[in-house]
Amino acid sequence: MKKLRTLTLMLAFTLFLLGGGIVVQAADDATIDEKVAGETVTNDGEDFIVDEISDLEDVNATEGTLDTSDAEEVDLSGIEVMKDEQEIIPGIKSIFGSDGRKLVTNTTQYPYSTSVFIKAEFPNLTKIGRYSIGSGQMIGDDSVLTAAHCLYKKEYGGWATKVTVYPGYNGSVAPFGKANAKKIYIPKEWTKTEPPAEDYGVIKLNKNIGQKTGTMGLTTNTSGAITISGYHGDKKGKLFTQTGSISKTTANSVYYKLDTTRGSSGSGVYNSKKQILAVNAYEYRDRSEDNYGTRITKEKLNNIYSWAFDNNLAVSKQKGINYELHVQSKGWMGNVANSTTSGTVGLGLRAEAMKISLSGMPYSGDIQYRSHVQGNGWQGWLKNGEISGTRGQSKRLEAFQVKLTGNMAKNYTVQYRAHVQNKGWQSWVKDGATAGTTGESLRIEAVQMRLVAK
């Protein structure tokens, strides 16, 4: 998995974090050393790496049914909204000249129907009778794109304990009803140092409310006019919108002179095709620069798409050695990693093929492997997730060999073993040695693999 090393000048300034108005010291394209692309954490404790989708393209917007049969009145006045240090400088709202935001009078109209009001409860806020507000955008039937700081904030005690979204909220009525978060995805890097470049996340909901609201698309293209439609904290839960142009782009940010205040964090910055190209998130306290959002790069698009639409993330790659067996009558067993068993034990089923790869490792180099197949003998060496063995031919995998190359081989040993018919688990072997048997007509049933630092 590739690593991103951003070498940029650190431009020190003080920012407002709009979802709750938190004052922070940060930099636009702050350096993130040794960041592994795709590293993800969730609010229920998962930690994994998202696979790269090689042919991923822009995602198109879709209109919904706009069914308002589940409309409900929502009174959000009972708990005080967190304001934080924004009150240190009264009146500063990052408004450029006259206020250009316009009230959306019909929030059931697409695309305004995709804008969601976010109410988030955090450990350190709940105990003082407060909650955090933010904005987001429907991007899937059950998926909302927003800013990571609306979902995880160290100052507030870490993860939000409860997140409720109200699509198309107009200050008193949620025309499409409400939905609750059942799972939250954010970049792992955000939980470490909260860098602006990683300030984005996806909320998976407990209902397909996006079928009613419609959804926004996604793009890495930053050309053309842009619009922000969000729930600004000074507008008391009403949706306001503004259209303008991009003033500047950097590797990880999109700048604009669109008016923003706390609460609008997480709003999608979208183009005329209703495709989101950035997530609105930051403003300068002294207005020395334009407001800006976290840019959707190719890597971020890959992550967002996977979080929102991939239902098999539980088997995504983990840091280390990853492998998967294709087993008789069962097919591919799902990705596992780092000494976990792949295959079956005690069922008398043959392994037929395998895939092996490395993910998130700090050194260059490949992992290579080959299989000894019933009736075929040794196949050629393959690498990095290619399929070794056979499928659909009812041929057993009898033995395999694995080795590392490049700097990985200089720093790690690869160890592996096989569970063999009538023999059980064999001893661990390493670095190109044979696991399994040859010339005995015995099937491999399961395997385990691990990396050991030299």
Side-chain angles (χ1 to χ4, degrees):
M1 188 65 68
K2 62 179 181 292
K3 295 185 184 138
L4 302 181
R5 300 182 187 218
T6 307
L7 300 177
T8 61
L9 293 175
M10 296 292 288
L11 304 176
F13 54 80
T14 305
L15 301 164
F16 272 129
L17 207 53
L18 299 182
I22 305 148
V23 176
V24 295
Q25 290 294 128
D28 167 23
D29 289 319
T31 301
I32 304 174
D33 293 327
E34 301 297 330
K35 185 181 83 68
V36 177
E39 276 196 303
T40 299
V41 290
T42 68
N43 62 323
D44 55 6
E46 289 185 354
D47 185 337
F48 59 89
I49 297 172
V50 171
D51 292 330
E52 182 178 356
I53 304 172
S54 60
D55 57 349
L56 181 61
E57 298 179 348
D58 288 354
V59 179
N60 293 326
T62 62
E63 295 191 27
T65 63
L66 303 180
D67 177 10
T68 59
S69 59
D70 291 329
E72 60 179 276
E73 293 186 4
V74 179
D75 182 7
L76 299 177
S77 62
I79 304 176
E80 186 178 354
V81 175
M82 192 63 185
K83 294 183 178 178
D84 294 320
E85 295 90 344
Q86 182 164 343
E87 295 181 347
I88 292 175
I89 307 180
I92 295 295
K93 301 177 181 178
S94 287
I95 304 299
F96 299 94
S98 60
D99 193 337
R101 297 171 295 173
K102 297 180 180 179
L103 174 66
V104 177
T105 56
N106 182 6
T107 60
T108 65
Q109 179 183 350
Y110 183 84
Y112 305 119
S113 54
T114 69
S115 294
V116 304
F117 181 95
I118 296 175
K119 174 187 173 184
E121 300 177 18
F122 288 86
N124 293 349
L125 299 187
T126 301
K127 60 188 177 184
I128 59 174
R130 297 182 178 184
Y131 63 83
S132 177
I133 65 170
S135 300
Q137 221 78 43
M138 297 298 308
I139 59 169
D141 288 348
D142 65 347
S143 302
V144 173
L145 176 63
T146 186
H149 73 256
C150 294
L151 307 171
Y152 180 98
K153 190 75 183 129
K154 290 181 180 179
E155 181 183 356
Y156 290 170
W159 287 104
T161 55
K162 182 179 181 181
V163 177
T164 307
V165 304
Y166 305 87
Y169 184 57
N170 64 13
S172 60
V173 175
F176 305 103
K178 65 184 178 183
N180 294 317
K182 67 178 183 180
K183 193 161 190 170
I184 298 171
Y185 297 89
I186 62 173
K188 185 175 183 178
E189 198 67 31
W190 177 259
T191 65
K192 298 177 183 178
T193 58
E194 300 184 354
E198 303 298 312
D199 198 354
Y200 64 102
V202 167
I203 308 168
K204 294 293 283 186
L205 303 175
N206 64 343
K207 61 177 67 173
N208 291 331
I209 202 167
Q211 293 178 353
K212 300 177 181 180
T213 66
T215 62
M216 286 290 196
L218 301 165
T219 184
T220 58
N221 190 332
T222 57
S223 61
I226 57 171
T227 299
I228 295 177
S229 303
Y231 292 94
H232 306 263
D234 60 329
K235 297 300 184 181
K236 300 181 179 180
K238 294 184 181 294
L239 182 64
F240 277 71
T241 188
Q242 186 180 11
T243 298
S245 59
I246 295 172
S247 58
K248 180 176 71 173
T249 60
T250 63
N252 289 301
S253 301
V254 175
Y255 288 77
Y256 35 80
K257 275 189 169 64
L258 295 181
D259 301 324
T260 58
T261 66
R262 63 181 179 85
S264 63
S265 269
S267 303
V269 181
Y270 58 92
N271 62 20
S272 60
K273 295 180 180 180
K274 311 302 184 291
Q275 293 172 313
I276 300 171
L277 55 91
V279 178
N280 180 52
Y282 295 94
E283 60 186 1
Y284 281 77
R285 187 165 70 176
D286 61 1
R287 286 179 288 183
S288 60
E289 282 271 11
D290 294 345
N291 299 331
Y292 73 93
T294 303
R295 182 177 182 176
I296 295 182
T297 60
K298 182 179 179 181
E299 178 198 342
K300 295 182 180 71
L301 177 62
N302 190 90
N303 292 345
I304 293 167
Y305 185 90
S306 298
W307 298 340
F309 303 112
D310 188 347
N311 294 320
N312 298 306
L313 283 177
V315 298
S316 292
K317 292 183 180 178
Q318 303 173 43
K319 185 175 183 179
I321 183 170
N322 291 256
Y323 45 97
E324 181 176 5
L325 285 187
H326 188 280
V327 174
Q328 170 190 354
S329 303
K330 291 184 176 293
W332 289 109
M333 298 296 291
N335 184 78
V336 297
N338 306 326
S339 298
T340 303
T341 299
S342 179
T344 63
V345 175
L347 298 181
L349 299 177
R350 66 179 174 269
E352 298 176 335
M354 64 169 54
K355 297 185 288 187
I356 310 174
S357 61
L358 300 175
S359 189
M361 300 306 297
Y363 302 103
S364 61
D366 296 324
I367 189 160
Q368 298 184 349
Y369 46 96
R370 64 174 182 165
S371 300
H372 190 281
V373 176
Q374 172 189 355
N376 295 345
W378 284 108
Q379 295 183 322
W381 288 94
L382 299 173
K383 65 180 181 178
N384 304 337
E386 295 176 321
I387 297 174
S388 180
T390 62
R391 293 167 295 163
Q393 299 181 36
S394 299
K395 293 186 175 183
R396 64 181 172 266
L397 203 63
E398 297 179 336
F400 68 100
Q401 299 170 338
V402 187
K403 62 185 179 181
L404 299 169
T405 66
N407 288 329
M408 279 298 300
K410 295 178 182 178
N411 291 278
Y412 284 91
T413 289
V414 58
Q415 299 181 352
Y416 44 97
R417 64 175 181 165
H419 189 281
V420 177
Q421 174 188 358
N422 299 333
K423 292 179 180 287
W425 284 110
Q426 295 182 316
S427 299
W428 291 92
V429 296
K430 64 179 183 179
D431 297 336
T434 299
T437 62
T438 57
E440 299 184 46
S441 299
L442 298 176
R443 65 179 174 266
I444 287 179
E445 298 176 337
V447 300
Q448 296 174 337
M449 306 183 197
R450 65 190 181 192
L451 297 176
V452 179
K454 290 182 178 180

